[in-house]
Amino acid sequence: YLIFYFAGVILIVPIVLMNLVTAIIVNSALDQAAADREAPQYHEDARKARLVKQLKNIFLRLDIDNSGQLSREELSKIESEDCGVLFNATSIGDPLEIFNALNVDGWESLSIDDFCDGIWKL
């Protein structure tokens, strides 16, 4: 009678172990898929942080009178390197067009937040 017991154990134990291994593999695959879904958002946030840092530096270089506001005249004196950064961010080559696109409230100047956020949204 013990043969039936051990034959049952020998048949059932490998199936249970295969199920455990399969469960571990599926669980790790699901964890990896969740991490893959979060990766693009992380990279987008990192890209935005780098761009905002560059834009703040550009703003501070262009703000000649240190008023914390960027006027149309100050933006027209942009250097070619900074203009290239703005073109890469907005696909607009003319700094005055960028100013007009960012100046939605009609003021004659832009704050640093309006400048950085506006270029990110363009």
Side-chain angles (χ1 to χ4, degrees):
Y1 296 107
L2 288 176
I3 189 103
F4 295 118
Y5 174 74
F6 286 114
V9 168
I10 290 172
L11 291 174
I12 302 266
V13 168
I15 293 172
V16 169
L17 290 177
M18 284 190 299
N19 281 339
L20 286 174
V21 170
T22 303
I24 291 170
I25 292 171
V26 168
N27 192 28
S28 65
L30 290 174
D31 290 343
Q32 184 64 40
D36 288 346
R37 278 191 296 267
E38 295 169 2
Q41 182 63 37
Y42 171 77
H43 291 297
E44 185 69 14
D45 291 343
R47 188 175 82 80
K48 182 178 180 180
R50 283 191 307 272
L51 179 63
V52 167
K53 184 177 179 182
Q54 285 180 321
L55 293 174
K56 285 183 180 182
N57 289 334
I58 290 171
F59 183 91
L60 293 174
R61 281 194 297 272
L62 291 174
D63 187 19
I64 297 168
D65 60 358
N66 293 323
S67 64
Q69 300 287 320
L70 188 63
S71 68
R72 187 180 312 265
E73 292 78 27
E74 289 173 327
L75 187 60
S76 67
K77 297 175 184 174
I78 190 169
E79 296 178 11
S80 62
E81 180 181 322
D82 293 339
C83 191
V85 171
L86 292 180
F87 178 76
N88 289 336
T90 63
S91 300
I92 301 174
D94 184 19
L96 296 179
E97 285 183 42
I98 294 173
F99 185 87
N100 292 333
L102 297 177
N103 191 15
V104 293
D105 55 5
W107 295 97
E108 291 300 315
S109 60
L110 297 170
S111 70
I112 191 166
D113 292 329
D114 292 339
F115 181 74
C116 294
D117 293 339
I119 288 186
W120 176 253
K121 291 175 185 175
L122 284 178

